[in-house]
Amino acid sequence: MRRVKFLLQIFLALMLLAVPTQAAESTWQPEIRIGILSSAQSVELEISASGVIVDGADAKKILGKIAAGEKISFDAGKIEAEAIEIRGEKVALKDLQVTINGKKYFGGVRLAKTGNALTVVNLVPIEEYLRGVVPNEMSIAFHAEALKAQAVAARTFALKNRGRHKAEGYDLCATNHCQLYNGVEEVAATDKAISETRGEVIVLSNEKLVDANFHTDSGGMTENIFDVWKTKASHLVPVAELETKTQPWTKEFPAQSFAERIGGGLGELKFISLSKLEIGKAASDRTSSGRAKTVTIVGSEKTVQVSGIDLRTKFSLPSTLFDVEFKEDKVIFTGYGRGHGVGMSQYGAQAYAKSGWDYKKILAHYYTGTGLKKLY
Ligand SMILES: [Zn+2]
């Protein structure tokens, strides 16, 4: 009998040990603040579970309660505290949804007074934030490993740039200045990519988070960040693609309107000079990936040099990986790819994923010398 009791005690002790091990799968995750509205006179809110209204400077100071499904309008002039926050009374932020002026967001909300108006900020756990970002940044029809690479890049961007809008009272904005965030989205493919890479970020060998820039399609080779933004980063240097000359494009402009848009007293267009494009080959007028660095434009009155980046902006060209010619009174650009070309190419990631690479290999390819770290 004593032996049975003893065995039972051991069994119970093992059970107790087993429980915390299971719970050890971390549920903690960083909370970030996303700016939704600024200069709002009033805002209408509704939350999915019963919530508490707390002082924005002291979360322990409860100012009131709000019932699940209750619509409340907050006027800038009627809020006494400098800021208030609405969080779940019994549920964690990740299990709460807040409707702000009719649009649903994961998490809770912070209303901060700026003069006579309100800044409306979504308080959201980062993994929930990513659910509203990744489907807007990459086609949800892409391969699972490409979506995972995108999820890790977006998570790294968010954590690296936390506090980018500190002066305005939040971490990141919801537009593509930071990352396009559209509130609650429930997309199975991207939700899976996010949960399967939970907490993973891209780091350098010293464990520092990297700038995880990405773009639509490099067209054949990615670009050195220095050639786009004049800043140096050892992990953002040109790398080759599985496929080259992807997404070919052409844009034509009548010579006269081209010359007018170049401006600066060019006169009548006479000649345009840019060496022939060879992907991955530098020239005096091309960067090491082959993108147009400087284009010489000769007019009847003047000769000007315009950077490939300025031409891309001025004429809305998809990329700077182009050739240009002047013939029959037309200026014709022919090029490949889409976007600035720095960091991960999304179409390139898709091509590598389809060829059998996993997201870790894809990220290590596009972000030279980096590895992954699971933060939580
Ligand atoms: Zn922003």
Side-chain angles (χ1 to χ4, degrees), residues 164-165 170-179:
R164 196 184 201 191
H165 288 275
Y170 45 90
D171 290 314
L172 303 173
C173 69
T175 74
N176 56 16
H177 169 258
C178 287
Q179 300 193 100

Side-chain angles (χ1 to χ4, degrees), residues 191-212:
D191 281 356
K192 188 166 178 272
I194 293 158
S195 70
E196 286 181 0
T197 60
R198 186 186 163 85
E200 286 186 82
V201 289
I202 309 161
V203 291
L204 291 168
S205 55
N206 60 9
E207 303 225 321
K208 272 197 177 157
L209 289 174
V210 301
D211 278 313

